[in-house]
Amino acid sequence: MIEHLEAQLTPLGAEMVGALGVEAQVAYGELTLVAPRERIVEVMTALRDRFEFQQLLDVCGADYPDREERFEVVYHLMSLTKNARLRVKVTTDEVQPVASVCAVYPSADWFEREAFDMYGMLFTGHPDLRRLLTDYGFEGHPLRKDFPMTGYVEVRYDEELKRVVYEPVKLTQEFRNFDFLSPWEGAEYPVPVLPGDEKAG
């Protein structure tokens, strides 16, 4: 099945490389394009109009702190007529903005806001680039790899006080040691585990 998809997508990727000046790779039954950041609107418009990728499914991010441009903005597209999916990537950093593709795919609006909120990626030309998931006045970007797990406050509504309260972030459980043995090998638990297990020996 994957070989059939790759055979179908390889010529499509080669056509996109020639027409759009992007890099293309087919892996795991999916086509991935790497586009220049400054040409993302042009590339996305051509993918919609010429290559029939009518639907933007998602815009998300990935953080690679060791890279010079640490962020990848990742667009997932779908063609209903070709029955194919496409991934488009551009790289950026904390200060270089990426042009918004809301004019090409209106569904990008909240996706770009989420990427801005969670990673700090900037999008120029976005109609309303505000935080979407974090609280008012929140500082930092929670999905960055270097974001600390403690030292921040969380907000909740207190039923007794009848108001919103800010409290230090508390992890819901202590760090635990997990036993990753397969269930057939069996984990080493204190004896006895269940009533009656003492009779098994």
Side-chain angles (χ1 to χ4, degrees):
M1 181 66 179
I2 289 181
E3 292 80 11
H4 173 69
L5 283 172
E6 291 183 356
Q8 176 189 0
L9 293 173
T10 300
L12 179 61
E15 184 182 353
M16 290 176 176
V17 168
L20 304 175
V22 296
E23 298 174 26
Q25 176 187 11
V26 177
Y28 305 108
E30 294 184 353
L31 176 59
T32 301
L33 301 182
V34 179
R37 179 178 57 238
E38 58 277 0
R39 293 184 49 237
I40 187 60
V41 174
E42 173 192 343
V43 169
M44 297 293 270
T45 303
L47 290 172
R48 181 195 64 189
D49 298 342
R50 177 174 173 178
F51 292 97
E52 301 176 2
F53 281 87
Q54 303 94 345
Q55 192 170 9
L56 176 70
L57 301 175
D58 189 23
V59 179
C60 58
D63 183 16
Y64 302 94
D66 297 333
R67 294 184 185 174
E68 186 176 343
E69 292 193 339
R70 69 183 288 181
F71 300 125
E72 281 185 354
V73 184
V74 185
Y75 305 85
H76 294 98
L77 303 174
M78 182 173 175
S79 172
L80 303 173
T81 51
K82 296 181 189 306
N83 190 23
R85 292 175 184 259
L86 174 67
R87 180 183 299 114
V88 181
K89 295 180 181 181
V90 297
T91 60
T92 189
D93 56 24
E94 296 96 330
V95 295
Q96 294 294 325
V98 177
S100 173
V101 296
C102 288
V104 183
Y105 294 103
S107 63
D109 188 341
W110 280 34
F111 295 141
E112 290 177 350
R113 283 183 63 184
E114 184 178 3
F116 164 71
D117 193 2
M118 296 289 103
Y119 290 97
M121 299 170 179
L122 301 174
F123 295 92
T124 57
H126 191 282
D128 185 21
L129 194 63
R130 293 181 289 147
R131 287 191 179 270
L132 182 66
L133 300 174
T134 55
D135 187 36
Y136 303 107
F138 186 89
E139 294 181 11
H141 304 282
L143 289 185
R144 287 188 180 183
K145 297 280 177 69
D146 52 6
F147 187 80
M149 294 180 67
T150 59
Y152 284 84
V153 295
E154 59 187 353
V155 64
R156 68 174 180 84
Y157 181 79
D158 190 300
E159 191 61 43
E160 293 177 8
L161 299 174
K162 302 291 185 197
R163 66 180 178 89
V164 173
V165 295
Y166 290 84
E167 299 173 330
V169 172
K170 296 181 202 135
L171 299 177
T172 56
Q173 67 179 9
E174 294 295 325
F175 291 107
R176 294 168 48 192
N177 292 325
F178 292 95
D179 192 338
F180 294 107
L181 289 175
S182 76
W184 294 274
E185 295 169 0
E188 295 179 12
Y189 294 114
V191 180
V193 176
L194 297 173
D197 281 358
E198 68 277 2
K199 299 175 190 173

